[in-house]
Amino acid sequence: MSPNKIIKTDAEWRAQLNDFEFAVLREAATERPWTGALLDEKRPGVFKCRACGAELFGSGTKFDSHCGWPSFYEAANSDAVTLIEDRTHGMVRTEVRCATCDSHLGHVFPDAPQTPTGDRFCINSVSLTFDEAVE
């Protein structure tokens, strides 16, 4: 286990997160499309995990995929997220979790040929915070 791994009980997470944040981050719920506060965020900066503050995505990899959730074509670094096969809801997808605290972020799909990686990390706004770059 990484020395930076954050492990908390459900009670500790519930004390830190509001009900909706807990449902998405800890129970893999999904926010409704087109409702997230960071969907149209275009300033330079860094997107971090709302639960633990780990740096997840740089604004330079964010793009408009027209899917209703913030989309990125790659994580900030190869250790930022973990990918897990998700067979819920009668389909096979790849779930994206924060590598530091194991919180649910969203899913990644290989359907973005317009990006350098071909990937679309479709991430719930509520799973993220945004820190604007300081010039």
Side-chain angles (χ1 to χ4, degrees):
M1 182 183 312
S2 165
N4 296 328
K5 193 81 170 170
I6 295 173
I7 299 171
K8 295 184 180 185
T9 65
D10 278 352
E12 290 171 315
W13 286 121
R14 283 186 189 281
Q16 176 183 332
L17 304 168
N18 69 36
D19 289 344
F20 185 56
E21 292 166 351
F22 184 86
V24 174
L25 288 156
R26 306 308 305 169
E27 297 176 328
T30 301
E31 70 188 357
R32 291 188 338 265
W34 311 107
T35 63
L38 297 175
L39 178 62
D40 295 320
E41 180 58 66
K42 300 205 185 314
R43 295 173 294 169
V46 176
F47 294 85
K48 296 181 176 182
C49 177
R50 179 174 300 280
C52 73
E55 194 170 304
L56 299 173
F57 301 97
S59 60
T61 66
K62 189 172 188 285
F63 69 104
D64 190 357
S65 68
H66 309 285
C67 71
W69 293 273
S71 297
F72 306 85
Y73 62 79
E74 69 183 352
N77 66 65
S78 60
D79 297 329
V81 298
T82 54
L83 306 178
I84 299 165
E85 184 177 275
D86 176 1
R87 294 183 166 268
T88 60
H89 306 294
M91 60 186 106
V92 179
R93 301 177 291 175
T94 303
E95 179 184 5
V96 181
R97 291 188 188 176
C98 174
T100 302
C101 70
D102 204 37
S103 287
H104 173 77
L105 304 172
H107 291 86
V108 61
F109 303 94
D111 63 0
Q114 72 275 33
T115 71
T117 63
D119 290 330
R120 174 175 56 97
F121 285 81
C122 187
I123 306 299
N124 292 287
S125 280
V126 72
S127 296
L128 303 171
T129 61
F130 178 74
D131 286 354
E132 186 174 8
V134 177
E135 296 183 16

